[in-house]
Amino acid sequence: MSNTSNLVIFSLSGFSATVNYKVTFFSLTLLCYCLIVVVNVSLILTIILDQNLHKPMYVFLCSLCINGLYGAAGFYPKFVFDLLSDIQVISYTACLLQVFVIYSNSQIDYSILVLMAYDRYVAICRPLEYHSVMSVQRIAVLIGLSWLVPFCSEGMIITLTSILKLCGSHIDKLYCENWSVVKLSCGSTRANDIVGLIVLAFYCAHVLLIVCSYVQLVQSSLKSKEGRRKFTQTCVPHLLCLFNVTAALLFDIMYSRYGSASMPQNLRNFMAIQFLIIPPIINPIIYGLILTRIRNRMIYLCMMAGQRFKSRFKV
C-alpha cells in the first residue's frame, strides 16, 4: 500500500491474547462500560438537579464527567464488538476518528483539571475576589476553551497523520492510536514528531501550572483552620484525580514509544487500555465519596428513589 488513498482498513492484532477468554473479557468490559456510564451520569445529574451545586468547582466537575462519557464512547462500543468478532478490523476513517476522540479526551481531562486548580487557588488564596473572578461569563469561556483547544490540537495532529503515505495496515494494539499509525509511514514523519512534542510539552506545562498553584495553596491553607479544611475537602480529590490521569497516560506513552515486543501480550494490552478504564471510573467515585455536598445529595436522592420504589411496589 503505497499511499493513504489505497488504504481501506487496519487490522488490530492486540486481540490474540483474548481468543480463549472472549466471553469473560466481554462480560467484564460491558460491566466496566456500564459502571462508567452509571457513576458519571449519576454525578452529572446530581450537580444539575441541585441548585446548591451550581458553583464553579461543581460545574468543572460536571464537565469532567461529561468528558469521561465522551472518551468512553470512543473506545468501548468498538472494543466490545471486537471481543466477540473473529476478525478485528477498523476502517481508515473510523481509525482516525477513534484516535481523535480518545486523545482529545485525555487533553480535555488536563484542561479541566487546570481549571479546577485555578478555581481552588482563587477560592483559598483570594477568597474576597472569588465571585468577581469566577463569574458566570468567565466560567463559560474557560469551559469552552478547555474543549476547543484540545479539539484544535488533536485535529492538527490527525490532519498531519492523514496526509502520510502508509506502507502497512497492521496495528499491534486493541484500538487505533496515533503513534501506531505514524509508524506505518513510508516517508518522513518529522512534522508529526515536532507537533507531537509541542502538544506533549503544552500539556506538561498544564501539570506544572497545577503544581505551582498547589504550592501556593498549601502555603495559604496552613495559615488557618478553615483553609486546611477547604484544602482537605476540595483539593485532595483533585490531586488524586490528577495523579490518576497522569499515571495512566504515562503508562500509555511509555508503552507506545518504548514498549518491547517481548512483553506478554496481556501486559501490553493492560498498559494500552488502563488510561481508558481507570480515570473515568475513579474520578467521579473520588469526588462522590470525598466532597460532602455531593455525597450527601447522592445519598438523599438514592433514599428518595428507594422510598418511591417501595411505595409503588406496595401499591
Side-chain angles (χ1 to χ4, degrees):
M1 297 179 185
S2 59
N3 55 60
T4 55
S5 62
N6 292 329
L7 187 58
V8 179
I9 60 173
F10 290 105
S11 61
L12 305 173
S13 64
F15 290 88
S16 58
T18 68
V19 173
N20 297 324
Y21 309 97
K22 282 186 175 183
V23 176
T24 301
F25 282 121
F26 172 82
S27 302
L28 291 175
T29 302
L30 192 60
L31 177 63
C32 186
Y33 187 38
C34 291
L35 183 60
I36 288 174
V37 172
V38 169
V39 295
N40 282 279
V41 169
S42 296
L43 206 55
I44 291 169
L45 291 178
T46 300
I47 294 171
I48 291 175
L49 294 175
D50 191 343
Q51 292 288 335
N52 295 322
L53 298 179
H54 293 180
K55 297 179 180 179
M57 181 180 65
Y58 301 110
V59 173
F60 294 146
L61 177 57
C62 184
S63 183
L64 188 69
C65 291
I66 292 172
N67 184 49
L69 294 174
Y70 161 70
F75 169 71
Y76 281 92
K78 178 67 170 70
F79 183 62
V80 168
F81 177 80
D82 283 339
L83 282 171
L84 296 182
S85 301
D86 294 326
I87 301 175
Q88 292 78 30
V89 295
I90 185 170
S91 70
Y92 180 80
T93 302
C95 181
L96 294 184
L97 178 62
Q98 187 176 59
V99 171
F100 178 85
V101 173
I102 288 175
Y103 287 95
S104 63
N105 163 255
S106 299
Q107 294 172 24
I108 293 168
D109 261 353
Y110 271 102
S111 298
I112 296 174
L113 289 173
V114 167
L115 296 183
M116 296 174 81
Y118 176 67
D119 173 77
R120 291 301 84 201
Y121 165 76
V122 177
I124 295 176
C125 299
R126 299 162 57 188
L128 299 179
E129 304 173 40
Y130 182 77
H131 293 290
S132 60
V133 173
M134 302 302 293
S135 62
V136 174
Q137 294 80 3
R138 179 167 295 183
I139 292 170
V141 171
L142 291 175
I143 290 178
L145 288 174
S146 72
W147 285 76
L148 181 61
V149 173
F151 282 161
C152 290
S153 66
E154 192 59 34
M156 182 169 54
I157 290 174
I158 293 299
T159 300
L160 289 173
T161 301
S162 67
I163 62 177
L164 289 175
K165 293 183 178 181
L166 306 181
C167 294
S169 60
H170 179 79
I171 296 177
D172 188 24
K173 260 193 167 183
L174 297 169
Y175 58 92
C176 277
E177 184 258 337
N178 188 64
W179 184 249
S180 297
V181 177
V182 170
K183 287 191 294 186
L184 299 175
S185 174
C186 307
S188 172
T189 60
R190 181 172 298 178
N192 302 74
D193 295 336
I194 293 173
V195 172
L197 288 173
I198 292 173
V199 172
L200 182 61
F202 179 68
Y203 285 97
C204 285
H206 281 47
V207 178
L208 291 177
L209 283 173
I210 295 173
V211 171
C212 290
S213 68
Y214 269 87
V215 169
Q216 298 186 55
L217 280 171
V218 171
Q219 292 175 346
S220 178
S221 63
L222 292 176
K223 296 178 181 178
S224 66
K225 185 177 180 180
E226 178 65 16
R228 289 193 294 271
R229 185 187 66 81
K230 283 185 178 181
F231 182 86
T232 302
Q233 288 188 349
T234 61
C235 298
V236 170
H238 179 264
L239 285 174
L240 291 174
C241 289
L242 176 65
F243 174 79
N244 179 28
V245 173
T246 303
L249 281 174
L250 281 176
F251 267 114
D252 180 66
I253 292 172
M254 295 300 291
Y255 165 73
S256 298
R257 300 271 177 159
Y258 311 110
S260 172
S262 63
M263 293 172 58
Q265 185 65 54
N266 285 329
L267 178 58
R268 281 187 284 161
N269 287 344
F270 172 75
M271 292 181 70
I273 68 171
Q274 48 82 40
F275 85 99
L276 296 166
I277 296 176
I278 299 175
I281 293 178
I282 297 299
N283 288 352
I285 290 177
I286 288 174
Y287 278 102
L289 291 177
I290 295 181
L291 292 183
T292 306
R293 285 188 177 184
I294 290 182
R295 184 176 67 248
N296 291 342
R297 183 61 180 173
M298 292 184 76
I299 292 173
Y300 171 76
L301 291 175
C302 289
M303 291 176 63
M304 290 296 294
Q307 291 177 359
R308 289 178 181 178
F309 177 80
K310 287 182 179 179
S311 63
R312 289 182 180 181
F313 183 76
K314 288 180 180 178
V315 173

